[in-house]
């Protein structure tokens, strides 16, 4: 479905004289099917974003004839979910490609400002217990507060050609550390780490580690794969299981940890700007990091709003670089004791 609207000049739209807001596209004029196929989300979700972000996207300026928040959000959603500034996308809402780029920047920053509102660990005891119960229901692994892993997102080479962003496959990327719950809701997302850093180094330097080592999380732990070291708050699989209990532990660990792999696939499937099929993110590492975080915020909002996750697999070319794990057990004796107690208590 095409809406024949002339593409207007970017500067006129964003900074033109007068005090009117340009509303060239009306949500009520199109079907939900069109909105979902073109912008990735239904009408009510878009209205929710307009209410949430409208004040930030309507900040007064000396030249206040601006693109409406509604149109800015549609432009950003169109980019996030398609991965490109296609001319037809701008034509549909009556703005130029340059204006679309400005809209994406505005909406991205508005979402990043609200990241802590939508991406955080629960604090009240009842919600924490519900979190553990949900994980336990997956494969019988007790005490789990979240599953953690890293995923790479391709970016263009930085202007300074910073080799720190070149990953093991020789591609420029950001290595993103994330934690999710049993439903795939993100509890933590650090999207700014250079692609050359291995997962264990990212976790070592991450705010997540500081959070778990300085705050009280004595009654539970995260689950991480063999790219991380065992810690008192991070349970990893056994390298060489020998007893039936150790095999059962590893199987439960793997089945539970798989949730974050499913979450990564869902995010890439919904937000095609991240999956590599349209090429790399054509921004600086900092701006690319913000776009990834904005998509993470939208992922959580969509789950909060009851939208079904997309089950179609991502088709992009940017996959997690294979890590060459040094299968070394942690020297943390207390962490080893906790895992051994977990084996004896729940898997023997």
């Amino acid at each position: 479905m095409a809406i024949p609207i002339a593409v207007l000049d970017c500067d006129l739209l964003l900074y033109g004289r007068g005090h009117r807001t340009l509303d060239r596209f009306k949500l009520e004029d199109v079907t939900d099917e069109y909105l979902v196929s073109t912008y990735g989300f239904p009408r009510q979700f878009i209205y929710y974003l307009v209410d949430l972000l409208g004040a930030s996207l309507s900040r007064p300026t000396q030249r206040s004839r601006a693109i409406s928040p509604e149109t800015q959000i549609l432009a950003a959603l169109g980019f996030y979910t398609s991965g490109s500034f296609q001319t037809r996308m701008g034509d549909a809402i009556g703005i130029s490609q340059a204006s679309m780029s400005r809209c994406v920047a505005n909406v991205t920053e508005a979402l990043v400002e609200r990241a802590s509102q939508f991406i955080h660990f629960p604090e009240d005891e009842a919600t924490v217990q519900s979190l553990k119960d949900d994980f336990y229901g997956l494969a019988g692994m007790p005490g789990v507060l979240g599953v953690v892993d890293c995923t790479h997102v391709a970016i263009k080479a930085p202007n300074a050609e910073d080799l720190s962003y070149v990953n093991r496959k020789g591609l420029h990327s950001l290595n993103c550390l994330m934690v999710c719950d049993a439903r795939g809701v993100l509890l933590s997302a650090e999207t700014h780490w250079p692609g050359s850093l291995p997962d264990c180094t990212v976790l070592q330097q991450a705010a997540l580690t500081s959070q778990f080592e300085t705050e009280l999380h004595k009654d539970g732990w995260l689950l991480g794969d063999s790219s991380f070291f065992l810690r008192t708050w991070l349970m990893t699989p056994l390298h060489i299981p020998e007893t039936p209990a150790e095999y059962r532990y590893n199987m439960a660990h793997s089945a539970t940890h798989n949730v974050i792999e499913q979450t990564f696939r869902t995010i890439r499937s919904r937000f095609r700007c991240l999956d590599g099929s349209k090429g790399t993110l054509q921004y600086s590492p900092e701006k690319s990091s913000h776009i990834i975080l904005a998509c993470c915020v939208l992922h959580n909002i969509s789950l909060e709003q009851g939208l079904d996750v997309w089950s179609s697999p991502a088709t992009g070319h940017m996959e997690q670089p294979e890590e060459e794990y040094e299968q070394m057990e942690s020297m943390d004796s207390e962490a080893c004791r906790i895992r051994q107690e977990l084996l004896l208590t729940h898997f023997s």
Side-chain angles (χ1 to χ4, degrees):
M1 176 179 179
I3 299 178
I5 300 174
V7 176
L8 302 179
D9 178 74
C10 174
D11 289 335
L12 174 62
L13 279 165
L14 293 174
Y15 306 116
R17 296 185 180 90
H19 301 281
R20 292 176 296 149
T21 296
L22 296 176
D23 292 304
R24 298 286 176 173
F25 182 92
K26 297 294 184 182
L27 286 176
E28 58 268 22
D29 292 340
V30 296
T31 64
D32 257 348
E33 290 75 12
Y34 172 78
L35 291 172
V36 171
S37 65
T38 307
Y39 304 103
F41 294 94
R43 189 185 325 274
Q44 290 306 313
F45 183 85
I46 296 170
Y47 281 142
Y48 175 84
L49 292 182
V50 172
D51 289 340
L52 178 70
L53 307 178
S56 296
L57 300 176
S58 302
R59 289 169 178 159
T61 63
Q62 289 182 340
R63 294 174 290 185
S64 60
R65 191 183 184 191
I67 301 175
S68 69
E70 181 178 291
T71 300
Q72 291 185 61
I73 288 168
L74 288 171
L77 292 179
F79 168 71
Y80 298 147
T81 59
S82 73
S84 65
F85 291 115
Q86 297 179 11
T87 301
R88 66 175 180 83
M89 189 73 69
D91 289 346
I93 53 179
I95 62 176
S96 68
Q97 181 173 321
S99 292
M100 279 201 63
S101 180
R102 197 75 63 90
C103 291
V104 170
N106 292 344
V107 174
T108 295
E109 292 310 305
L111 287 168
V112 167
E113 288 174 0
R114 291 160 177 79
S116 61
Q117 177 182 345
F118 294 99
I119 303 176
H120 57 81
F121 283 91
E123 296 181 355
D124 63 282
E125 292 184 9
T127 307
V128 170
Q129 186 58 51
S130 177
L131 186 68
K132 295 180 185 177
D133 292 343
D134 288 343
F135 275 119
Y136 188 79
L138 293 178
M141 181 69 76
V144 180
L145 298 171
V147 289
V148 59
D149 208 348
C150 289
T151 188
H152 286 251
V153 175
I155 63 171
K156 74 171 184 178
N159 292 335
E161 191 55 39
D162 190 340
L163 294 180
S164 68
Y165 290 94
V166 179
N167 62 39
R168 297 181 66 89
K169 291 188 175 182
L171 304 173
H172 292 84
S173 68
L174 290 168
N175 195 3
C176 305
L177 178 73
M178 301 187 192
V179 180
C180 74
D181 70 10
R183 295 175 49 237
V185 175
L186 294 174
L187 306 175
S188 177
E190 299 184 36
T191 60
H192 62 282
W193 297 102
S196 67
L197 294 181
D199 295 356
C200 60
T201 303
V202 169
L203 181 61
Q204 182 179 2
Q205 300 178 9
L208 179 69
T209 293
S210 177
Q211 179 180 1
F212 269 79
E213 290 187 346
T214 58
E215 297 181 11
L216 294 178
H217 292 286
K218 304 299 184 183
D219 56 346
W221 39 73
L222 303 179
L223 295 189
D225 64 19
S226 298
S227 61
F228 303 116
F229 284 109
L230 179 71
R231 300 169 185 257
T232 57
W233 49 269
L234 177 65
M235 294 293 103
T236 59
L238 290 140
H239 175 35
I240 304 177
E242 297 177 347
T243 68
E246 289 174 346
Y247 276 104
R248 284 192 287 269
Y249 167 85
N250 271 15
M251 290 179 63
H253 187 291
S254 177
T256 307
H257 188 266
N258 187 55
V259 172
I260 195 150
E261 297 301 330
Q262 295 174 349
T263 300
F264 288 157
R265 288 193 294 271
T266 296
I267 291 172
R268 290 181 184 278
S269 177
R270 172 165 275 165
F271 303 107
R272 304 301 291 274
C273 68
L274 307 181
D275 77 354
S277 63
K278 301 293 185 180
T280 62
L281 284 174
Q282 297 297 303
Y283 297 91
S284 68
E286 180 181 8
K287 290 183 178 180
S288 295
S289 170
H290 285 184
I291 288 173
I292 300 167
L293 185 55
C295 290
C296 290
V297 173
L298 287 173
H299 168 76
N300 274 14
I301 294 175
S302 68
L303 293 177
E304 181 183 279
Q305 294 294 305
L307 297 182
D308 292 335
V309 296
W310 293 0
S311 58
S312 57
T315 57
H317 310 292
M318 187 60 187
E319 298 296 334
Q320 169 80 11
E322 295 181 4
E323 298 273 356
E324 294 181 4
Y325 301 141
E326 295 182 20
Q327 295 285 1
M328 298 169 57
E329 288 297 329
S330 171
M331 299 303 292
D332 187 333
S333 59
E334 178 64 11
C336 292
R337 184 195 67 77
I338 291 174
R339 186 169 65 180
Q340 188 61 29
E341 182 178 327
L342 181 60
L343 282 163
L344 294 173
T345 304
H346 293 279
F347 296 98
S348 295

